[in-house]
Amino acid sequence: MTQALPKLLTFNEFIEWDPNDGKRYELHKGVIIEMPPPTGEHEKVIAFLSRKLTVEFDRLNLPYGIPKTALVKTPSAESAYSPDVLLLNLNNLDNEPLFKKQSTVSQAASVPIVIEVVSSNWRDDYYNKFRDYEEMEIPEYWIADYAALGARKFIGNPKQPTIFVCELVDGEYQMTAFQGNTAISSPTFPQLSLTAQQIFNAAN
């Protein structure tokens, strides 16, 4: 018996479908994915990172902002992600064809940093989004694995809470791991004063 494959949606169909029911959805290669409800710890890490980045770009008087809800559309796959923290370059938004009506960016020039705070669907952050953000050539991608949920090949055995800063170098991400009281090195914000442990402590 042949089983029919589910119909894959285009990005435009996904935008038109959005039920606006208070839940978060992403489009992964044409398939609608409901994001797991965030825990309180997860939300506190997001709030802490957003505050730290906001203080830094405000200090430097950069034309950046962090939207409440916005999508990142990948170039080759029919995917659209809703990052946990999305730093936007406001000066490039006029060049974004989808932003005005659909709050969606698709150009690397619009995204200095994107951050995913790892939850139960950790494979998305370490594999799918890593690959797609790299292909988009977003210059800096953080994977904030505060609860040590990722695979041991990434965060060690025994597993340790880890922050990865992925810097785009010659079209490929170079991953640097930060644990404990190690100061995080951000290519976008080289003077950022932040340790991995401060991020982990924010969850408590």
Side-chain angles (χ1 to χ4, degrees):
M1 181 176 177
T2 303
Q3 187 174 8
L5 295 174
K7 180 183 182 297
L8 300 181
L9 272 67
T10 65
F11 171 77
N12 287 334
E13 288 172 332
F14 169 67
I15 291 294
E16 292 171 3
W17 166 87
D18 189 355
N20 195 25
D21 57 4
K23 299 177 182 178
R24 285 177 63 207
Y25 296 94
E26 293 184 339
L27 187 67
H28 293 204
K29 294 185 178 179
V31 177
I32 295 172
I33 303 295
E34 180 182 344
M35 307 309 290
T39 64
E41 290 82 4
H42 187 274
E43 291 291 85
K44 286 196 288 185
V45 171
I46 291 173
F48 178 77
L49 288 169
S50 297
R51 177 168 65 90
K52 284 293 185 180
L53 293 183
T54 299
V55 167
E56 189 66 5
F57 69 69
D58 188 58
R59 183 183 71 82
L60 296 170
N61 198 30
L62 293 170
Y64 292 168
I66 297 175
K68 180 182 178 183
T69 55
L71 292 172
V72 175
K73 182 181 182 297
T74 64
S76 62
E78 284 292 346
S79 297
Y81 300 132
S82 175
D84 290 311
V85 181
L86 175 62
L87 184 63
L88 292 180
N89 178 357
L90 305 181
N91 283 353
N92 195 62
L93 296 184
D94 285 344
N95 300 321
E96 289 282 1
L98 302 172
F99 190 79
K100 189 172 183 179
K101 291 185 178 181
Q102 299 169 333
S103 187
T104 299
V105 294
S106 57
Q107 300 173 7
S110 299
V111 187
I113 295 178
V114 63
I115 299 176
E116 298 290 357
V117 178
V118 177
S119 55
S120 57
N121 56 339
W122 61 268
R123 288 176 178 83
D124 287 338
D125 302 327
Y126 279 97
Y127 293 105
N128 299 339
K129 294 179 182 182
F130 179 97
R131 177 194 63 234
D132 289 340
Y133 292 152
E134 181 183 64
E135 184 191 14
M136 287 184 69
E137 298 190 338
I138 291 175
E140 189 170 338
Y141 170 39
W142 292 24
I143 302 172
D145 197 347
Y146 74 96
L149 297 174
R152 290 178 179 84
K153 67 179 178 179
F154 293 114
I155 61 175
N157 188 13
K159 294 185 177 184
Q160 298 290 323
T162 307
I163 307 295
F164 289 96
V165 174
C166 309
E167 179 185 4
L168 194 74
V169 179
D170 295 330
E172 297 181 2
Y173 276 147
Q174 304 297 316
M175 296 179 73
T176 303
F178 300 92
Q179 298 176 336
N181 291 314
T182 306
I184 289 173
S185 176
S186 165
T188 303
F189 298 119
Q191 293 178 296
L192 182 67
S193 178
L194 182 64
T195 68
Q197 193 61 48
Q198 286 176 293
I199 297 173
F200 307 147
N201 290 346
N204 301 324

